[in-house]
Amino acid sequence: MTTTLSERVSQSAFDGSMLRVVLLMDLHEGTQQQFFEAYEQLRHDIASVPGHISDQLCQSFENPSQWLITSEWESAPQYLAWVNSEHHAEQVKPLGACARAMRPLKFTVLRETGRGYGQADRPATARLQKTPRLGAGIVRHALTFTVKPGSEKEVASILSSYASPEARVDDHTRLCRTSLFMYGNRVVRTVEVQGDLMAALRHVSEQPGVRAAEEALNPHLEKDRNLNDPESARMFFMRAALPAVHHIAAPEPESAEVQRHALFYPAKPGCGAALAKFLARQDEAAARNPGSPVRSSSIFQRDDIVVRLIDVRGPFDAEPDTTFGVSGPRKAAVLDRLTARAGRRVRATGHTMNLITDRRAPADS
């Protein structure tokens, strides 16, 4: 069977397809009127956000405490630019105060039946996804935050010394891998989960060893948080979220020779999405080369922070341009224009993050 691009790319925010976002909410008793008023304000604010097409508020037919908010967007990057903004964090505070539980789900639109797709008021740029993407049921996510300068060594010790949490979350969810890197005083923690990401994150946060490590980390954070205050904890992790926007992998079993690395690309102001898209396109081109040392690449992006997590076969510096995500002087020049270090050639050695831990769950766990 011929391997198509859709079989290598399991996630991409850059294919131009429409995005459907579903937010499931379970409200505290007595907060329904407060919630409805908060939504009325939010829906008027969101109507002017670039890329927003429509939204719906739905109440459960069976349980009036359960609500569903759906929204349709022209593309994933436009939604991510809004949902990762500080303005959004403030906008949704009143909704979050009403919720006992919230679960966001994001889907690109592949097929549509009925009159919806042909409606004249839908933007011409709103397109259906061309082909389905195939994956192994793995969800990727990352968190990033900064610590006080001078505390990096102690922070690395805290984050590498706790016991690994139990990999099995429930019958349907398993924590597969956690990789943690630092670049100066910036921490990036990536996770790979098979099943329900939110269930896995809750499971990890409840582990005594992880909880103790997070408490020990608190005094070193540049932005204060209180994990005993649900709203403070929710806002911290919302702001720390570093979404995966693209993943591509070679169609072959992982080899023991493959090593994990991460590179940090600080984008020029306003160029984060363009930089992530550029790197994604370079990875897609490299994936067509069976001899490429990069066997998989995950790109995470929020605002002007871009992190590329790669699994490399052989020495990391054997093919430095491919490893760094560029090939040839013209592509390097484009990368130069998109990064914050204008005026000098960006190289992998200056962007490689320090690996603190890389924990994999046992195959039989």
Side-chain angles (χ1 to χ4, degrees):
M1 182 179 68
T2 301
T3 301
T4 64
L5 185 62
S6 63
E7 290 176 311
R8 295 194 296 267
V9 178
S10 61
Q11 180 178 2
S12 182
F14 308 119
D15 61 6
S17 55
M18 290 187 299
L19 189 73
R20 171 71 67 179
V21 180
V22 179
L23 179 62
L24 302 172
M25 304 186 69
D26 188 6
L27 302 187
H28 293 294
E29 295 303 321
T31 64
Q32 292 189 13
Q33 184 61 35
Q34 177 185 346
F35 166 76
F36 186 71
E37 292 171 358
Y39 172 77
E40 281 294 296
Q41 180 61 51
L42 178 62
R43 77 182 184 95
H44 289 295
D45 291 342
I46 198 177
S48 61
V49 175
H52 176 263
I53 298 175
S54 65
D55 61 82
Q56 289 182 322
L57 176 65
C58 310
Q59 187 175 23
S60 170
F61 178 74
E62 299 170 325
N63 182 351
S65 293
Q66 292 181 340
W67 293 74
L68 173 70
I69 299 176
T70 70
S71 59
E72 190 175 46
W73 297 77
E74 292 180 37
S75 68
Q78 291 169 312
Y79 166 76
L80 292 172
W82 172 71
V83 80
N84 292 329
S85 67
E86 188 63 30
H87 182 53
H88 168 265
E90 294 301 321
Q91 282 179 312
V92 299
K93 270 186 178 181
L95 289 182
C98 302
R100 181 183 295 110
M102 300 172 65
R103 186 185 182 194
L105 301 169
K106 298 177 283 292
F107 301 86
T108 47
V109 183
L110 188 71
R111 294 288 183 270
E112 238 180 8
T113 302
R115 294 173 295 174
Y117 190 59
Q119 289 177 351
D121 58 351
R122 177 170 285 174
T125 52
R127 300 194 302 269
L128 297 179
Q129 182 180 324
K130 291 182 179 179
T131 58
R133 296 183 297 270
L134 303 183
I138 301 296
V139 182
R140 296 170 177 84
H141 188 64
L143 297 172
T144 185
F145 51 86
T146 55
V147 296
K148 296 173 182 176
S151 68
E152 294 88 349
K153 186 175 181 180
E154 187 170 353
V155 166
S157 177
I158 292 171
L159 294 174
S160 62
S161 59
Y162 65 88
S164 297
E166 179 68 31
R168 185 178 181 275
V169 178
D170 54 39
D171 291 342
H172 308 287
T173 301
R174 180 173 171 268
L175 184 64
C176 300
R177 190 169 185 175
T178 302
S179 306
L180 194 142
F181 296 84
M182 292 184 69
Y183 184 87
N185 70 327
R186 178 168 295 281
V187 177
V188 173
R189 175 189 288 152
T190 69
V191 296
E192 295 178 4
V193 173
Q194 191 169 42
D196 186 340
L197 174 65
M198 299 306 295
L201 295 179
R202 284 194 301 269
H203 167 77
V204 171
S205 68
E206 293 167 356
Q207 303 301 303
V210 174
R211 184 80 181 192
E214 294 289 350
E215 292 291 350
L217 186 64
N218 282 343
H220 304 295
L221 296 176
E222 285 199 312
K223 292 187 177 181
D224 293 336
R225 70 177 181 187
N226 179 5
L227 295 178
N228 294 316
D229 177 356
E231 181 63 14
S232 175
R234 188 179 72 83
M235 293 303 292
F236 175 84
F237 287 111
M238 178 186 292
R239 292 185 170 107
L242 188 62
V245 295
H246 194 268
H247 177 75
I248 188 167
E252 61 183 30
E254 184 175 306
S255 167
E257 300 175 356
V258 173
Q259 299 294 320
R260 174 153 290 189
H261 304 273
L263 297 108
F264 177 67
Y265 303 79
K268 285 182 180 178
C271 292
L275 176 55
K277 184 176 181 179
F278 170 79
L279 293 171
R281 296 294 177 257
Q282 307 319 302
D283 282 338
E284 288 179 9
R288 300 186 187 100
N289 175 14
S292 172
V294 178
R295 308 319 295 156
S296 73
S297 169
S298 299
I299 297 172
F300 301 87
Q301 181 253 327
R302 181 192 181 106
D303 299 329
D304 296 324
I305 298 170
V306 181
V307 172
R308 183 164 160 266
L309 184 72
I310 55 176
D311 289 332
V312 178
R313 182 177 57 197
F316 179 63
D317 56 357
E319 294 184 26
D321 285 353
T322 302
T323 301
F324 194 34
V326 296
S327 180
R330 292 182 63 183
K331 297 295 175 61
V334 173
L335 186 60
D336 276 346
R337 290 197 296 270
L338 292 172
T339 54
R341 299 181 177 184
R344 60 192 179 100
R345 172 76 181 274
V346 290
R347 298 182 184 279
T349 53
H351 292 257
T352 305
M353 304 188 75
N354 295 320
L355 176 64
I356 307 302
T357 61
D358 184 23
R359 306 178 185 219
R360 302 192 211 194
D364 57 350
S365 62

